[in-house]
Amino acid sequence: MPCLCTSSIMTLYVGGMDSRIQDDDLKDAFYSFGEIASLKIIRDRNCAFVTYTSRSSAERAADALVNKLVIKGVRCKLMWGKPARQQAVQDVPTSSAAAAAPPPSMYPPQVQAQMAMRGGVPGGPPPLNYFNLPPQSGYGMPPPMMAGYGMPPP
């Protein structure tokens, strides 16, 4: 089976499996080509991953079983497994300022900017004062009596 991948991959993907196929059935089909390091069946996806201890064993199995793998009367698809993704190693902050930082917001950047201008983001910048007016209490409106609404004082 041609492989356009790196030579470090020792895992074969077995697809199109049936619920009748068990671990022992896979071991019987693949053990004759070399020592198996791990065997994982994923029932939800009807597939399995067979990992060999050496690349040469995996190549022998792939060459012998490609387009020929039949387990318990079920014709299975055999391909090379994909290489594992390299997870980025993140530095863990040790300073108290980084530990006290709030978690990232789930709001889009535009909404975060509007909330910051209105003073809605804790720890964010104070709201902008476009007209250089003194800050007001409440919702930014004067009390109803000062605006001429309601009944005059007795």
Side-chain angles (χ1 to χ4, degrees), residues 81-100:
K82 293 181 181 178
R85 293 181 184 167
Q86 296 292 329
Q87 294 182 356
V89 178
Q90 297 178 352
D91 294 332
V92 177
T94 56
S95 66
S96 61

Side-chain angles (χ1 to χ4, degrees), residues 20-109:
R20 296 174 291 166
I21 299 174
Q22 302 297 322
D23 290 349
D24 294 335
D25 301 323
L26 282 173
K27 286 179 187 174
D28 292 342
F30 287 95
Y31 189 72
S32 61
F33 301 102
E35 185 178 353
I36 296 174
S38 70
L39 189 136
K40 181 163 177 84
I41 296 178
I42 302 174
R43 295 279 177 211
D44 297 341
R45 304 270 183 191
N46 292 329
C47 69
F49 293 95
V50 180
T51 304
Y52 283 93
T53 55
S54 68
R55 171 69 182 200
S56 60
S57 298
E59 287 178 354
R60 282 195 305 269
D63 291 337
L65 296 175
V66 67
N67 296 328
K68 299 175 193 169
L69 181 60
V70 177
I71 303 173
K72 284 194 171 179
V74 178
R75 186 177 181 104
C76 299
K77 183 177 185 177
L78 184 69
M79 297 185 336
W80 284 102
K82 293 181 181 178
R85 293 181 184 167
Q86 296 292 329
Q87 294 182 356
V89 178
Q90 297 178 352
D91 294 332
V92 177
T94 56
S95 66
S96 61
S105 175
M106 298 296 290
Y107 291 110

Side-chain angles (χ1 to χ4, degrees), residues 113-145:
Q114 289 175 355
M115 290 173 63
M117 288 189 326
R118 294 185 180 133
V121 178
L128 298 175
N129 190 354
Y130 290 110
F131 302 107
N132 202 17
L133 298 173
Q136 295 180 350
S137 62
Y139 294 103
M141 294 182 64
M145 299 307 283

